[in-house]
Amino acid sequence: MNLDIHYGGAVSGTQKFSRPEMEDRLIRLFRGGVGIKMFGLRRIGKSTLRRHLQEVLAAEGRQVAFIDGQGLHSLAAFLSGLSSETGQDGGLWGRALKAVASGPAQKTLAALGQGEKLEAAALSAYWQHVATAIKAALADGARPVLIVDEFSYLIQNMVNGDGAEDVDRLLGSMREWREAGMQMLLTGSIGVTQLARRQGLNLEHLNDLQQFSVPELTDEEARQFIASATYRAGPRWTEKHTEAFMAECSALYPCFLVKGLQEVGTEYPVTPEQFANVFELRVRPDLHADFYEQFNKRFHQYRSLSRNELTGLILPALKTIMTAEGSTEQGELLVREPFTRVDLDVALGMLVEDGFAHFSEDREGNRFWKPGSRLAHNWWRRAKLL
């Protein structure tokens, strides 16, 4: 495979390094359930996976309604996006219009479909009628797949704007739509668990979705990536180049590999002896700053939780995981009153979504924890929190 590397944003075609096992797992899990939630750090490959799913669904003739939630702030804005994506005549939105009785609720639905701006209070008042009409339309024709990118930004914006009540309305209705057959993929670069904990939202409405995490490439995948991206160099790229690159690359996310390869050269590379200097001056300062900023922002949000929860639950768990020689069995994570093992599970879920930790699980159900990446481990050492 020849790879034409590209830095920034989702990629496809010759710019995409395929990870067949992960891509197949995403498709398999999606086809076998109501949908997937995929939350994690920015620039780790979520958007490329999301685009892959869209391409597979399109090839199968499925209609995909894609909504970018980052700039949306209300129920009305969300529904306007849904209406424009699902069509008026024979589409979901048109069927919903026919399913709702004539009157204010139908006028509200029609206005949204025509792109008119509505007062938040008006939509809140008729929300249940609108949501029920969409549910009825799902039972009466083709069901589009709904993909909401940056779903957590949408939730945060709505809390800051219309309030938590409208968020709960939306989450509850979306679950009803999934029960009626609308599959969903919800993604975000803000952990939805910590967001819900801070805002007092009910996340039980998302429990039917399967969690999907995007890990770093394995060493073998990274080597394949390097070989595919340096095909133009021919014999100018040697095994010594690959070994020097792997030694200097502090994270095996695709963005790190792409940035590093662009700087050392994929066609006429610098010598392996120069890699250390290139990474020190041109690669790490940029990418490390980006990822450390993400970790800092996410940890800062934890400070909005109760002080007891931060100092008595989250920080001790992080310290144990980050300073362990190897993996940490979950039973080794201490829980002190007034907290319980259930509280610990919620805290660990936040740490997973925000890129601080990840886990594996054996056949007896024992979970073993490690830092989410070498970068997360490096951030912990630099932060000196405990």
Side-chain angles (χ1 to χ4, degrees):
M1 169 187 173
N2 294 336
L3 182 64
D4 299 317
I5 56 175
H6 171 78
Y7 187 79
V11 294
S12 60
T14 61
Q15 294 179 341
K16 187 185 91 171
F17 176 75
S18 293
R19 303 176 70 179
E21 183 177 343
M22 187 169 63
E23 292 166 0
D24 291 348
R25 177 171 175 262
L26 175 67
I27 301 302
R28 185 172 65 251
L29 291 179
F30 190 83
R31 286 174 174 158
V34 294
I36 286 173
K37 50 187 177 182
M38 185 164 59
F39 298 98
L41 298 170
R42 290 184 295 109
R43 302 176 72 180
I44 61 174
K46 298 189 306 297
S47 295
T48 297
L49 273 174
R50 181 257 300 162
R51 178 177 288 186
H52 176 76
L53 176 63
Q54 288 177 261
E55 291 172 350
V56 170
L57 294 173
E60 295 175 350
R62 301 284 301 275
Q63 181 188 19
V64 176
F66 174 74
I67 297 176
D68 184 354
Q70 186 161 343
L72 305 183
H73 293 77
S74 65
L75 285 176
F78 175 82
L79 282 183
S80 291
L82 183 62
S83 69
S84 64
E85 288 288 304
T86 56
Q88 294 294 314
D89 300 326
L92 176 70
W93 200 259
R95 300 198 304 274
L97 266 173
K98 296 177 182 178
V100 67
S102 59
Q106 189 182 64
K107 291 180 180 178
T108 299
L109 205 62
L112 283 168
Q114 295 166 8
E116 296 181 18
K117 293 185 177 180
L118 295 177
E119 293 293 331
L123 183 56
S124 296
Y126 298 115
W127 173 258
Q128 194 54 51
H129 296 285
V130 173
T132 301
I134 293 173
K135 183 177 179 180
L138 288 167
D140 189 35
R143 300 161 180 166
V145 172
L146 176 61
I147 296 179
V148 186
D149 194 24
E150 294 298 359
F151 182 73
S152 37
Y153 268 108
L154 168 64
I155 298 304
Q156 179 173 269
N157 293 342
M158 287 180 60
V159 169
N160 294 337
D162 298 343
E165 288 186 2
D166 275 351
V167 173
D168 282 332
R169 288 189 182 99
L170 176 61
L171 293 178
S173 295
M174 289 178 73
R175 180 158 192 159
E176 290 183 358
W177 298 343
R178 291 194 295 273
E179 291 172 350
M182 178 187 276
Q183 290 181 288
M184 298 182 188
L185 170 65
L186 308 181
T187 76
S189 55
I190 298 176
V192 73
T193 301
Q194 59 93 351
L195 176 61
R197 294 283 293 114
R198 287 190 290 113
Q199 303 293 350
L201 304 174
N202 181 6
L203 275 187
E204 290 183 3
H205 292 310
L206 299 181
N207 285 348
D208 58 328
L209 295 170
Q210 299 185 78
Q211 178 66 43
F212 194 92
S213 299
V214 184
E216 294 178 271
L217 277 69
T218 65
D219 279 9
E220 181 181 352
E221 287 176 324
R223 292 174 184 277
Q224 292 172 354
F225 189 108
I226 294 167
S228 299
T230 56
Y231 69 96
R232 289 191 179 93
R236 291 186 295 274
W237 186 280
T238 68
E239 185 60 28
K240 286 185 177 180
H241 286 81
T242 299
E243 293 305 320
F245 191 94
M246 293 291 290
E248 296 297 332
C249 197
S250 55
L252 298 184
Y253 293 121
C255 68
F256 270 81
L257 299 177
V258 170
K259 175 67 172 176
L261 287 167
Q262 286 180 332
E263 293 291 355
V264 302
T266 57
E267 190 169 354
Y268 294 95
V270 300
T271 66
E273 291 75 19
Q274 294 175 290
F275 278 23
N277 190 54
V278 170
F279 271 82
E280 182 178 343
L281 296 179
R282 303 179 201 165
V283 179
R284 295 194 198 98
D286 179 22
L287 287 176
H288 282 206
D290 184 358
F291 277 80
Y292 291 155
E293 182 183 12
Q294 290 188 68
F295 288 129
N296 287 334
K297 286 182 177 179
R298 281 153 179 74
F299 190 80
H300 179 73
Q301 297 293 352
Y302 293 170
R303 298 185 186 278
S304 300
L305 304 171
S306 73
R307 179 169 178 79
N308 284 344
E309 190 171 1
L310 177 61
T311 60
L313 193 62
I314 295 173
L315 272 173
L318 258 181
K319 180 180 180 180
T320 301
I321 293 169
M322 293 293 188
T323 58
E325 288 289 337
S327 58
T328 302
E329 202 274 320
Q330 186 158 330
E332 298 174 22
L333 300 175
L334 298 179
V335 179
R336 299 184 178 91
E337 292 185 354
F339 301 109
T340 67
R341 286 285 166 184
V342 174
D343 297 319
L344 177 63
D345 284 340
V346 174
L348 291 172
M350 291 191 289
L351 296 178
V352 170
E353 288 184 356
D354 291 327
F356 291 109
H358 71 88
F359 67 91
S360 58
E361 188 164 329
D362 66 17
R363 67 184 67 183
E364 282 79 34
N366 300 307
R367 288 188 172 182
F368 297 88
W369 292 86
K370 287 187 176 182
S373 64
R374 282 176 285 180
L375 277 176
H377 185 256
N378 290 343
W379 168 84
W380 171 263
R381 290 191 299 104
R382 287 166 52 113
K384 298 185 184 300
L385 295 171
L386 281 178

